[in-house]
């Protein structure tokens, strides 16, 4: 297996995770995909570009290189469902619209998928765990921002149009309530954008597993509607005119996370 992730170590107690930004495919997955899946429509498109300012802020950043069609880094390794109703698993079998992901009989084998778990999923999570431990040891606390995006209309997964900013804290279990309140406040003041806290997307495995306020690790997931920064149809073009104002809100959200951390953990 070649490069499975990229990692940048920052200077502040904030780690940004991008588990669904990858575009690489293994031969078995590439050869087995149905035609509508070959453009990788369920990717969190352009997330590294959208958050490119994060390094300037001083955040650490970890991003996946492999597509979620190979293995979903935001699902537990035992593949237990995270949500009631329609969802996708550790080894996705369907597109977000509900259609089969692979041609009949051409999904990767059990042995191939076991290799993906060991060679792609585990290195990503080992990196997350090590960096969060380093941040907590260095600063006394750690802040985790799990960065995602999704098409604003997917009837198979949710009704109607998704709000622009979908904050998830696993119903308050993954971060301090005051931090969640401040983030909601930023979204509420962002003119022209809608938001929700713990709506359809409450946080996936990364938010739920690593967020532990009692141990001074606070995790938030943001599921961003792709209509706020790109074209949602192929070829999924980045829209600078939409992205710039959205980046301004994202920067304010991350600065709010950092400011809250300094206040909560002075010295």
């Amino acid at each position: 297996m070649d490069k499975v992730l990229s990692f940048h170590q920052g200077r502040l107690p904030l780690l940004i995770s991008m588990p669904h930004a990858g575009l690489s495919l293994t031969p078995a997955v590439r050869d087995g995909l149905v035609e509508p899946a070959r453009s990788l429509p369920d990717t969190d498109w352009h997330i590294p570009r959208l958050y490119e300012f994060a390094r300037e802020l001083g955040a650490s950043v970890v991003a996946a290189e492999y597509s979620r069609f190979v293995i979903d880094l935001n699902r537990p390794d035992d593949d237990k469902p995270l949500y009631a109703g329609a969802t996708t698993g550790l080894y996705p079998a369907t597109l977000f619209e509900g259609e089969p992901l692979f041609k009949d009989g051409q999904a990767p084998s059990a042995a191939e998928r076991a290799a993906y778990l060991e060679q792609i999923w585990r290195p990503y999570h080992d990196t997350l765990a090590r960096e969060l431990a380093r941040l907590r040891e260095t600063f006394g606390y750690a802040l985790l921002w799990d960065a995602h995006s999704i098409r604003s209309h997917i009837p198979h997964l949710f009704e109607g149009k998704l709000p622009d900013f979908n904050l998830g804290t696993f119903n308050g279990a993954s971060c301090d309530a005051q931090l969640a309140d401040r983030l909601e406040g930023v979204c509420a003041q962002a003119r022209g954008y809608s938001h929700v806290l713990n709506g359809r997307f409450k946080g996936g495995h990364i938010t739920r597993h690593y967020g532990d306020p009692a141990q001074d690790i606070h995790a938030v997931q943001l599921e961003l509607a792709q209509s706020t920064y790109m074209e949602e149809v192929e070829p999924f073009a980045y829209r600078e005119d939409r992205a710039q104002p959205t980046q301004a809100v994202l920067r304010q959200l991350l600065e709010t996370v950092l400011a809250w951390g300094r206040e909560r953990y002075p010295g």
Side-chain angles (χ1 to χ4, degrees):
M1 198 71 66
D2 55 8
K3 183 181 178 184
V4 299
L5 60 87
S6 63
F7 175 65
H8 166 78
Q9 188 172 96
R11 64 181 187 275
L12 296 177
L14 172 63
L15 172 61
I16 300 175
S17 164
M18 304 175 180
H20 292 156
L23 299 174
S24 295
L25 299 173
T26 64
V29 171
R30 182 191 63 234
D31 295 344
L33 290 177
V34 297
E35 189 59 34
R38 299 187 72 81
S39 63
L40 309 183
D42 299 344
T43 300
D44 290 11
W45 288 102
H46 310 297
I47 285 294
R49 180 176 179 180
L50 192 66
Y51 280 87
E52 62 187 357
F53 64 88
R55 293 190 184 194
E56 172 196 331
L57 285 181
S60 296
V61 180
V62 58
E65 294 288 335
Y66 275 86
S67 169
R68 67 187 302 164
F69 288 171
V70 177
I71 189 168
D72 193 330
L73 303 178
N74 202 28
R75 298 294 183 268
D77 58 1
D78 62 6
D79 204 16
K80 289 184 178 178
L82 295 177
Y83 294 99
T87 187
T88 55
L90 179 66
Y91 304 107
T94 62
L95 291 160
F96 283 168
E97 299 291 357
E99 296 93 346
L101 183 60
F102 294 101
K103 293 174 278 190
D104 287 345
Q106 295 192 42
S109 68
E112 287 166 328
R113 285 177 164 172
Y116 304 161
L117 181 66
E118 293 303 318
Q119 298 175 26
I120 301 174
W121 191 97
R122 295 209 187 283
Y124 193 89
H125 284 269
D126 287 347
T127 302
L128 282 178
R130 281 196 305 268
E131 182 62 3
L132 289 171
R134 185 191 72 84
L135 294 178
R136 191 173 65 165
E137 181 178 356
T138 302
F139 299 97
Y141 66 103
L143 306 165
L144 174 61
W145 185 268
D146 205 37
H148 296 262
S149 72
I150 193 170
R151 296 193 304 279
S152 59
H153 288 90
I154 305 181
H156 185 66
L157 296 183
F158 49 82
E159 294 182 5
K161 184 180 185 295
L162 194 68
D164 297 319
F165 287 82
N166 299 265
L167 297 165
T169 65
F170 194 27
N171 291 327
S174 70
C175 83
D176 188 278
Q178 186 185 66
L179 174 56
D181 288 344
R182 290 197 186 183
L183 295 173
E184 268 209 288
V186 171
C187 291
Q189 293 172 18
R191 294 184 62 182
Y193 293 98
S194 56
H195 78 280
V196 68
L197 174 65
N198 293 315
R200 172 61 179 81
F201 298 98
K202 303 178 188 299
H205 173 67
I206 290 171
T207 304
R208 301 180 191 198
H209 180 72
Y210 295 101
D212 189 351
Q215 297 299 317
D216 302 310
I217 300 176
H218 302 269
V220 177
Q221 176 179 294
L222 176 63
E223 191 79 62
L224 184 65
Q226 291 177 342
S227 56
T228 63
Y229 70 94
M230 59 173 278
E231 296 290 350
E232 296 186 301
V233 296
E234 197 174 346
F236 311 114
Y238 191 81
R239 287 280 301 272
E240 193 68 47
D241 58 326
R242 298 179 186 177
Q244 283 190 0
T246 300
Q247 282 178 312
V249 181
L250 291 174
R251 179 184 284 269
Q252 190 174 1
L253 287 169
L254 295 185
E255 289 175 343
T256 297
V257 170
L258 289 165
W260 176 86
R262 290 191 294 268
E263 292 175 20
R264 175 67 176 79
Y265 300 94

